[in-house]
Amino acid sequence: MTTSTVHTTPSDDSDSVFERACLLIETELGGRRLPPEPRTWVDDLARTRQHKTAFITAVWNTCFPSGLVEACRVVETVYPYLGRDGLCTDAALTAAWNVLEPDAHTWPEKVQNERRRFTDDCLNRALAEANRAVTDHV
């Protein structure tokens, strides 16, 4: 005996081939889709490493550290102070500022404020670039 699937609603071809195949399997075989696998601590660790690597690269390209070691130091000092949503906080900016401009306390206040705003912009751009890099690879 052969069965066939009759669609009661017209297809608008917006579904992917995969979605249509899943729908066919669900309809024909009475199956159900498997939920995504739960994330493990290893997955989180790998994602954190990817993000830190992307963040180091972005800091190197946008924040003008004196070298790669300083870029790594910036990321390591900033990382614990990032917000829950992965955005830069005041504490993160201060941590980066202390690494990038250790002698800033000797500068005039106006110069300090200008350089701090510049560092804030650079750090936010680097963080956005790192977030995009990790999101693109997920």
Side-chain angles (χ1 to χ4, degrees), residues 4-138:
S4 64
T5 303
V6 178
H7 294 282
T8 57
T9 58
S11 175
D12 61 358
D13 290 331
S14 64
D15 293 337
S16 69
V17 174
F18 177 76
E19 289 294 321
R20 286 183 285 191
C22 287
L23 181 64
L24 180 65
I25 290 170
E26 289 169 352
T27 306
E28 291 290 333
L29 302 176
R32 60 187 170 90
R33 295 181 192 205
L34 294 173
E37 290 184 39
R39 292 181 60 102
T40 64
W41 67 273
V42 174
D43 296 333
D44 290 336
L45 181 64
R47 187 179 186 288
T48 300
R49 284 185 178 164
Q50 287 175 338
H51 188 261
K52 278 188 175 183
T53 302
F55 194 23
I56 290 168
T57 303
V59 165
W60 172 254
N61 291 331
T62 61
C63 294
F64 310 108
S66 63
L68 187 58
V69 172
E70 189 172 76
C72 292
R73 286 183 51 224
V74 167
V75 170
E76 287 301 319
T77 57
V78 165
Y79 219 80
Y81 299 110
L82 294 178
R84 292 186 56 82
D85 51 358
L87 298 178
C88 193
T89 62
D90 255 354
L93 173 61
T94 301
W97 177 253
N98 289 335
V99 172
L100 291 171
E101 305 294 350
D103 61 343
H105 64 280
T106 62
W107 302 347
E109 188 174 340
K110 182 179 178 185
V111 175
Q112 284 184 34
N113 291 338
E114 289 172 1
R115 291 290 299 172
R116 190 171 170 97
R117 277 193 305 274
F118 177 75
T119 302
D120 185 32
D121 290 343
C122 291
L123 194 59
N124 281 316
R125 277 197 320 266
L127 195 54
E129 186 178 318
N131 291 342
R132 265 192 317 275
V134 171
T135 303
D136 291 344
H137 288 90
V138 171

